[in-house]
Amino acid sequence: MTTSASVTTESEGAIRGTVTDRLVDANERYAAAFTDPGMDARPVLHVAVVACMDARLDLHAALGLELGDCHTVRNAGGVVTDDVIRSLTISQRKLGTRSIVLIHHTGCGLEAITEDFRNELEMEVGQRPAWAVEAFRDVDQDVRQSMQRVRTSPFLLHTDDVRGFVFDVKTGLLREIDPA
């Protein structure tokens, strides 16, 4: 039984396999030309970016970032959850980040579902997820809520440079959200 979807790639002829096979093949080509960049885990720009996992967001390109510039934390919606606070705390306390950038985006899938998703899962699998969906209707307000969660976390040392944005998936532009 295969655990990832089978694909055929036109650019490489009629190669068949799973998506994971394709990724592993790509990694082998990458590794063949790879040279150790000689950097450690501390981001050069001392910034952590929290963003949605949406495949349309190419954060490094959109923000002009290079390898090693930032820590990137992604999840559904780019919502600041306990696990995001965990990652940011480690990023700040052990790896030197000082700034936090939060990025949500237009057309997010979390705007199309509700917390009832947890009920649906419980009905399907017989167990209610311990996590919240964190669905929202107003992306600007959700960015404000995420900024507030960061600013009020007792675990984070640096909460004075926290800024939130909405990335427009049609134009590629960021729109800053006023935290007030």
Side-chain angles (χ1 to χ4, degrees):
M1 180 175 161
T2 248
T3 57
S4 58
S6 292
V7 294
T8 300
T9 56
E10 299 294 327
S11 63
E12 297 182 39
I15 297 173
R16 294 189 185 272
T18 67
V19 172
T20 304
D21 292 335
R22 183 173 147 203
L23 299 177
V24 170
D25 290 344
N27 173 256
E28 288 173 4
R29 289 187 301 277
Y30 171 80
F34 183 79
T35 55
D36 180 358
M39 55 180 71
D40 66 18
R42 295 176 181 273
V44 173
L45 298 179
H46 307 287
V47 63
V49 178
V50 178
C52 184
M53 65 185 193
D54 191 294
R56 296 171 290 181
L57 277 66
D58 182 350
L59 293 174
H60 276 75
L63 301 174
L65 296 168
E66 299 293 330
L67 180 67
D69 282 349
C70 73
H71 283 160
T72 306
V73 181
R74 295 180 81 155
N75 68 16
V79 178
V80 175
T81 61
D82 286 345
D83 197 54
V84 168
I85 293 293
R86 171 187 159 272
S87 293
L88 292 174
T89 301
I90 293 166
S91 178
Q92 285 191 352
R93 290 180 175 264
K94 296 298 181 184
L95 297 166
T97 59
R98 299 289 180 263
S99 301
I100 298 172
V101 174
L102 306 172
I103 301 177
H104 286 34
H105 65 92
T106 58
C108 185
L110 283 186
E111 293 175 292
I113 63 175
T114 68
E115 292 298 320
D116 285 337
F117 180 62
R118 293 173 72 214
N119 298 331
E120 295 167 14
L121 285 172
E122 182 178 18
M123 295 299 291
E124 180 182 329
V125 303
Q127 181 177 340
R128 185 175 187 80
W131 40 263
V133 176
E134 297 279 355
F136 54 87
R137 295 285 172 255
D138 181 339
V139 67
D140 290 19
Q141 182 55 34
D142 202 65
V143 171
R144 284 187 200 93
Q145 176 177 288
S146 289
M147 284 190 281
Q148 185 64 18
R149 286 178 178 174
V150 168
R151 288 191 173 121
T152 60
S153 173
F155 305 110
L156 298 173
L157 297 171
H158 307 284
T159 58
D160 52 327
D161 188 12
V162 178
R163 293 172 65 185
F165 300 85
V166 174
F167 177 86
D168 187 315
V169 297
K170 301 280 189 212
T171 67
L173 291 172
L174 290 174
R175 179 173 50 83
E176 189 159 8
I177 302 301
D178 184 349

